[in-house]
Amino acid sequence: MISLKRYLLSREDNPFFRTTELLLEAIGVHAVMVEPEEYDRFRDDIQALVRQLNHDPIAEALVVSGAAIQALAEYNQRVSRIPRMRQAELQSIVTMLTDTIKSLSTAGATSLSRLQDIERRLEKASEIEDMRALKIHLADCLKGLQMEQKRQAAVNQVQVAALRSELRRNEQALRAEQVVESLDLLTGLPSRPAAEEALSACCEHGAGTYAVAFVVERIMSINTRFGHAAGDQVITLMGDHLKRSFSVDDRLYRWTGPSFLLILKREQLLAEVRAEVVRSLSVRLEKTLEIGKRSVLLPVSASWAVYPLENETGAEPLIEKIEVFVRSRNLDS
């Protein structure tokens, strides 16, 4: 390998000039690259100084050397700001990320601790290599956060599914409770509120729909003579009979006291519907009551009235008609 001294002596031009030229080129080649644009700009400045030196090597050598020193100082000043700016920017990002993670319950304690450690190390970082290493640590930490987020999302999905299942069970239980509450305890039939709701719905499309009110006869006399338990048995018997006498598509309700309400869809005329009701009540019903040591056989019958819904202007007038009929038959009994 040729030595620097032999290289300089072998040149015909001024060794001082050649030494200056070599130093300038070395400065340009070995300058630390922090920002590519700044690095290229600095090398262009050095090459311009080399060209200036070639133009007038003797007169310009000292001037060029001074300019080179100034260019190097300016370059160092420019690039030294970049790590500080990057450090401040990176530290700001990590601080914001750390604060965000603190406010989120889904972040694990490990990820939060790692972020806080990176934040402390950024405050002390002074070299570019330090920040590069911290960037790698930050990338690893963010990957950990992504895995934590995926894990938490899976946990949330399971919890949401469990919550929805619980809500469905609660809704089913509530509907079952509402159904039980809407049933008459004595007969097991839907009670009057359900009947009124059905009447309201049917009155909007009343064609081919009929409401039939039934009132068990002599119930007040039975309650007075034999007790309310006997009267309850007679009412239950009539309810069971009405359920068997009509179609499963017809809707039977317990109205009030000894009365029932039946809603049925029929294409027949009013006279034919009345005839159907007469046939259902033509069966002889009797109830045997055990009173002390003797048995009492009671005939069971009911008064009734049919209301074509297509003739009704609304549920309220129809309910009032039914009430008038029920009260009148209770008084007669």
Side-chain angles (χ1 to χ4, degrees):
M1 181 180 294
I2 185 170
S3 66
L4 179 60
K5 181 177 179 181
R6 291 178 59 189
Y7 169 75
L8 294 174
L9 292 175
S10 66
R11 306 283 297 190
E12 297 179 357
D13 46 11
N14 192 305
F16 176 74
F17 160 71
R18 191 54 54 194
T19 300
T20 305
E21 182 182 25
L22 286 174
L23 289 174
L24 289 174
E25 292 180 352
I27 290 172
V29 170
H30 296 289
V32 176
M33 185 177 69
V34 177
E35 185 70 26
E37 294 183 359
E38 291 292 344
Y39 179 73
D40 293 340
R41 176 183 171 186
F42 174 68
R43 294 201 59 180
D44 290 342
D45 291 342
I46 295 299
Q47 290 300 319
L49 292 176
V50 172
R51 289 192 297 271
Q52 182 179 347
L53 187 62
N54 288 329
H55 178 71
D56 192 353
I58 302 300
E60 297 292 338
L62 294 177
V63 176
V64 169
S65 297
I69 293 173
Q70 182 178 358
L72 181 60
E74 292 177 353
Y75 175 70
N76 287 337
Q77 184 178 7
R78 289 197 303 270
V79 298
S80 64
R81 290 197 304 267
I82 295 174
R84 290 195 299 271
M85 292 172 59
R86 288 183 176 177
Q87 178 186 3
E89 180 181 359
L90 188 59
Q91 187 170 356
S92 175
I93 293 173
V94 173
T95 300
M96 181 176 62
L97 185 58
T98 303
D99 293 339
T100 302
I101 296 303
K102 286 179 182 178
S103 64
L104 296 177
S105 59
T106 57
T110 303
S111 299
L112 179 58
S113 177
R114 292 179 65 186
L115 278 173
Q116 291 172 335
D117 179 64
I118 292 173
E119 188 176 12
R120 287 192 296 269
R121 293 171 63 183
L122 270 173
E123 294 175 355
K124 301 177 181 179
S126 58
E127 301 294 334
I128 294 176
E129 293 301 324
D130 293 339
M131 282 186 287
R132 287 176 179 170
L134 288 174
K135 284 184 178 180
I136 295 175
H137 291 314
L138 180 59
D140 293 340
C141 184
L142 292 177
K143 288 181 181 179
L145 284 174
Q146 291 175 351
M147 294 177 62
E148 173 68 17
Q149 188 273 334
K150 290 180 180 179
R151 185 196 68 79
Q152 189 65 42
V155 171
N156 290 343
Q157 188 174 5
V158 173
Q159 292 176 342
V160 169
L163 180 59
R164 287 177 176 171
S165 178
E166 182 65 22
L167 287 175
R168 284 195 294 270
R169 286 195 296 269
N170 291 340
E171 289 175 356
Q172 292 171 356
L174 179 60
R175 285 196 294 268
E177 183 178 349
Q178 290 173 341
V179 169
V180 171
E181 290 180 351
S182 66
L183 295 180
D184 174 59
L185 297 179
L186 177 62
T187 63
L189 294 171
S191 58
R192 175 168 174 167
E196 291 184 354
E197 184 177 348
L199 287 175
S200 298
C202 292
C203 283
E204 296 180 3
H205 308 284
T209 305
Y210 297 86
V212 186
F214 298 89
V215 180
V216 181
E217 296 177 332
R218 300 183 305 280
I219 198 68
M220 292 181 65
S221 300
I222 295 174
N223 288 338
T224 302
R225 185 173 180 182
F226 302 106
H228 285 82
D232 289 344
Q233 293 181 48
V234 171
I235 292 172
T236 302
L237 176 64
M238 178 57 70
D240 292 340
H241 173 72
L242 292 175
K243 281 191 292 186
R244 293 192 302 268
S245 300
F246 293 91
S247 169
V248 293
D249 295 328
D250 300 328
R251 291 172 286 174
L252 182 64
Y253 303 87
R254 171 82 182 277
W255 189 252
T256 55
S259 60
F260 296 88
L261 183 76
L262 178 69
I263 297 178
L264 53 142
K265 296 281 291 186
R266 296 290 186 272
E267 297 297 332
Q268 293 89 345
L269 298 177
L270 176 58
E272 296 175 278
V273 174
R274 286 176 172 167
E276 182 181 357
V277 174
V278 169
R279 286 194 299 272
S280 69
L281 295 178
S282 62
V283 177
R284 182 179 179 85
L285 290 179
E286 295 176 330
K287 179 63 180 177
T288 302
L289 299 177
E290 298 297 331
I291 309 298
K293 296 182 179 181
R294 63 190 180 94
S295 298
V296 177
L297 184 63
L298 295 178
V300 179
S301 59
S303 302
W304 54 272
V306 180
Y307 304 92
L309 268 62
E310 63 181 348
N311 298 330
E312 300 298 330
T313 58
E316 292 185 5
L318 176 58
I319 292 172
E320 181 60 29
K321 291 180 182 179
I322 295 172
E323 275 295 288
V324 170
F325 170 74
V326 170
R327 285 195 299 266
S328 66
R329 300 315 300 169
N330 280 334
L331 292 175
D332 293 343
S333 63

